[in-house]
Amino acid sequence: RLREEEESLTPPGAFIPVLEHYNLMPALDRWVVRQVLDLYAKRRAHAKDWAFPLCSVNLSAATLGDAEFPGWVRQELLSRNIPADSLGFEIDLADAERAMGGARLLVKTLRELGCPIALAGFGSSPVSFDALKQLPVQYIKIEGNLVVNIIRDPVALAMVGAINRVSHTIGVKTIAEFAESQEIVDRLNQIGVDYAQGFLFSRPQPLENLI
């Protein structure tokens, strides 16, 4: 969210297109990473035995082509002595497919650092698992618009089940988006999906309230 005058908050859909137009998304991605790591360092300074949670940062399509990004992440982690497995990254399947060369190098290098990687957007279009052959991610995220329909739409249920089975076969864990009711979560448990995120668990909040 972008805080404006009188404490009003502008949603990402209102300002991110402007940043994309002016090629400012890589700078925003780096700013977000710094905010997370600075907060980690602050928490640890107040409690030396503080346990680092895993925080996952969405990366823009532009950052997939930034060859310097992994090295920059490494330096930011080292400068604060923060474990790499506490900082994850999420990339969109459609973005990765459009820039597979850059995405493949980025994922490989970040994984070598120890950062967990999630590939989002499975189920938003005809599902292709070709990307998983090239991107060594640890998680895939099942599209929320598919997940919310698994109770009343047998096709959606079958698709989520198929995505989950194939992912587990190749050793990738699954995360279902838009888990908005206990009924949906119960059905996800029946299917065997590993994790769920959604309003049932938490509404969007400032990072400081969550860590």
Side-chain angles (χ1 to χ4, degrees):
R1 307 295 188 271
L2 177 65
R3 191 178 301 280
E4 296 187 325
E5 296 179 2
E6 299 178 356
E7 298 300 303
S8 63
L9 296 177
T10 301
F15 65 85
I16 283 183
V18 177
L19 299 182
E20 290 174 335
H21 178 76
Y22 290 102
N23 197 32
L24 294 173
M25 287 303 298
L28 177 62
D29 288 347
R30 294 188 184 213
W31 180 87
V32 172
V33 170
R34 286 196 192 99
Q35 296 302 304
V36 173
L37 298 185
D38 286 347
L39 183 56
Y40 276 175
K42 180 180 178 181
R43 294 287 187 263
R44 187 186 53 194
H46 285 85
K48 297 301 182 182
D49 59 348
W50 183 72
F52 290 93
L54 169 60
C55 187
S56 184
V57 176
N58 288 42
L59 293 182
S60 65
T63 294
L64 298 185
D66 184 356
E68 297 180 357
F69 183 75
W72 175 86
V73 169
R74 180 177 183 274
Q75 290 302 317
E76 294 293 313
L77 289 167
L78 289 174
S79 67
R80 299 170 178 82
N81 193 28
I82 292 174
D85 60 3
S86 66
L87 178 65
F89 294 97
E90 179 181 323
I91 63 177
D92 186 80
L93 173 62
D95 292 338
E97 289 177 333
R98 284 192 292 266
M100 184 56 71
R104 184 167 53 242
L105 178 60
L106 185 81
V107 170
K108 178 179 180 294
T109 310
L110 289 175
R111 281 294 307 274
E112 289 172 349
L113 289 179
C115 298
I117 310 293
L119 189 60
F122 273 78
S124 58
S125 59
V127 178
S128 170
F129 289 93
D130 290 342
L132 290 179
K133 298 176 183 178
Q134 304 186 58
L135 301 173
V137 300
Q138 291 158 293
Y139 306 93
I140 68 163
K141 300 186 73 173
I142 305 172
E143 175 66 27
N145 290 329
L146 189 62
V147 173
V148 295
N149 289 316
I150 62 174
I151 301 301
R152 58 181 179 273
D153 184 353
V155 174
L157 179 63
M159 289 181 66
V160 171
I163 292 171
N164 189 66
R165 286 192 300 273
V166 173
S167 299
H168 285 174
T169 297
I170 60 177
V172 176
K173 293 187 176 181
T174 49
I175 305 169
E177 300 178 315
F178 288 21
E180 298 180 348
S181 71
Q182 189 60 52
E183 189 178 12
I184 290 175
V185 171
D186 290 343
R187 187 60 58 86
L188 292 171
N189 279 325
Q190 292 172 4
I191 296 170
V193 172
D194 297 295
Y195 303 100
Q197 72 175 68
F199 285 175
L200 178 66
F201 304 108
S202 177
R203 295 271 174 171
Q205 300 180 49
L207 186 62
E208 292 82 358
N209 296 350
L210 298 172
I211 295 178

